[in-house]
Amino acid sequence: MSEFIKAAVIGHPISHSKSPIIHNHWIEKYALNGSYEAIDIHPDNLSAELDKLIAQGYSGFNFTLPHKELVLPYCDELEQIAEVIGAVNCLSVKDGKKIGSNTDSYGFLANLTHQKQGIDFQGGAALVIGAGGAARAIVSALMSTRMPRIYVTNRTFEKAQKLADELNMFTDLIVPVAWDKKDQVLDQCTLIVNTTSLGMDGQPDLEIDFGRLSKGALVNDIVYAPLQTKFLKDAQASGFETVTGIGMLLYQAQQAFRKWFHVNPEVDEELTQKVLAQI
Ligand code: ATR
């Protein structure tokens, strides 16, 4: 029998995490010898508790709030994408070495390309709304598609400016836009992505002027609770195609699962419905 693989998602709090449903679905589906749990670790004890789990044989971890940045110095090595994003959501222990990665960029892009076959990234600009960790992952992913321009707008402009300064390096692809000026770039955009918490259950909605958005643009929200945010409903009412946030969650998990279990698990309708039923 193959070696038993122990994996877990670490957060504080953690009970809301959908990751155990996703990974256990795949462990069962592919009859793998392994487990995936949700473990609550207080940020003050992160490295000591991780040491204990690794000593108990855990070799794969996901991280959610508030650990994604705190875990950076714990890693022995960082994959380039984690370094660029400045956050680790996936850690693999290999030959005793703790390797930090980030699967959010993959999750974002895999979802978009699956939902919209033949998507043309090079035909116009993107507007990324927000400048937090998720926005950094998404901007990094969009840079790899050779999109000609990526506008980033954020309530706190300085964070959009910082993101652009840090990720642009030798390019000027990323252009920060003031929060109250975001409608002014919509006529150039073929893709808009909400990466903020606006529109989440209990949060205010995100409002933009869809009347100014370029015809045929694709509108993506990474919020998945609710699945159909007001932002997406407004986009649909104005005739735009939309992509919901659930896919990014599933595809970021797919890449992590592949790293630990060496199986490429399928993101299908059955899994999507299983996760949505818990939201
Ligand atoms: P994540 O890792 O999910 O990106 P984050 O790093 O906490 O989370 O980022 C949250 C994003 O949502 C930020 O862009 C934040 O804007 P600020 O940088 O100005 O805080 C944005 N956000 C949260 N609440 C918001 C609100 N009420 N209005 C506008 N933007 C909001």
Side-chain angles (χ1 to χ4, degrees):
M1 188 128 191
S2 60
E3 187 198 352
F4 193 90
I5 296 167
K6 284 161 106 174
V9 57
I10 311 293
H12 182 73
I14 196 60
S15 57
H16 65 283
S17 175
K18 307 295 171 243
S19 295
I21 305 171
I22 303 170
H23 289 275
N24 285 311
H25 171 87
W26 287 329
I27 289 173
E28 212 173 291
K29 177 170 176 173
Y30 299 101
L32 299 173
N33 196 22
S35 63
Y36 187 100
E37 299 151 67
I39 302 177
D40 191 320
I41 298 183
H42 190 279
D44 289 352
N45 310 328
L46 184 62
S47 47
E49 292 299 320
L50 284 175
D51 282 348
K52 282 189 211 161
L53 291 172
I54 292 172
Q56 289 167 30
Y58 285 79
S59 59
F61 300 96
N62 278 134
F63 296 96
T64 184
L65 280 171
H67 297 310
K68 286 188 186 187
E69 281 145 37
L70 296 173
V71 75
L72 280 165
Y74 183 76
C75 299
D76 297 317
E77 270 175 30
L78 288 179
E79 285 185 10
Q80 195 187 4
I81 190 71
E83 219 164 305
V84 169
I85 297 170
V88 165
N89 77 337
C90 173
L91 188 151
S92 309
V93 183
K94 284 205 182 105
D95 303 324
K97 251 195 193 151
K98 295 162 287 193
I99 304 164
S101 183
N102 195 306
T103 64
D104 281 338
S105 295
Y106 168 86
F108 166 74
L109 219 47
N111 181 41
L112 270 198
T113 51
H114 279 89
Q115 303 299 332
K116 177 115 174 111
Q117 310 279 326
I119 182 170
D120 173 21
F121 287 103
Q122 288 153 33
L127 172 64
V128 175
I129 302 173
R136 292 178 78 95
I138 287 168
V139 170
S140 307
L142 290 175
M143 289 178 86
S144 76
T145 68
R146 295 200 273 141
M147 204 136 197
R149 176 159 294 181
I150 304 164
Y151 291 111
V152 177
T153 189
N154 195 50
R155 172 179 62 177
T156 314
F157 180 74
E158 293 68 29
K159 274 175 70 181
Q161 179 81 64
K162 185 165 181 277
L163 184 155
D165 288 347
E166 289 176 7
L167 297 190
N168 261 333
M169 291 194 251
F170 308 113
T171 76
D172 53 7
L173 275 183
I174 310 165
V175 179
V177 174
W179 188 247
D180 59 356
K181 301 259 178 355
K182 56 184 173 307
D183 285 339
Q184 294 178 13
V185 300
L186 292 177
D187 60 343
Q188 300 167 49
C189 294
T190 51
L191 174 69
I192 316 184
V193 188
N194 174 39
T195 77
T196 71
S197 48
L198 290 173
M200 246 180 224
D201 286 328
Q203 299 291 322
D205 288 313
L206 170 62
E207 310 274 355
I208 69 154
D209 183 357
F210 283 106
R212 296 177 74 168
L213 181 59
S214 164
K215 282 220 165 23
L218 185 65
V219 181
N220 178 206
D221 200 332
I222 71 160
V223 169
Y224 57 83
L227 189 64
Q228 295 292 341
T229 56
K230 179 163 186 295
F231 176 65
L232 292 186
K233 286 181 184 165
D234 287 351
Q236 288 153 15
S238 297
F240 293 100
E241 230 182 295
T242 59
V243 174
T244 66
I246 192 68
M248 179 169 165
L249 175 75
L250 300 174
Y251 282 102
Q252 66 74 30
Q254 182 187 56
Q255 196 184 36
F257 194 89
R258 205 158 49 207
K259 283 178 189 291
W260 307 323
F261 291 96
H262 310 291
V263 166
N264 189 24
E266 199 183 355
V267 172
D268 59 13
E269 198 49 28
E270 186 196 351
L271 174 61
T272 307
Q273 291 308 325
K274 205 173 191 177
V275 176
L276 287 177
Q278 300 297 319
I279 287 169

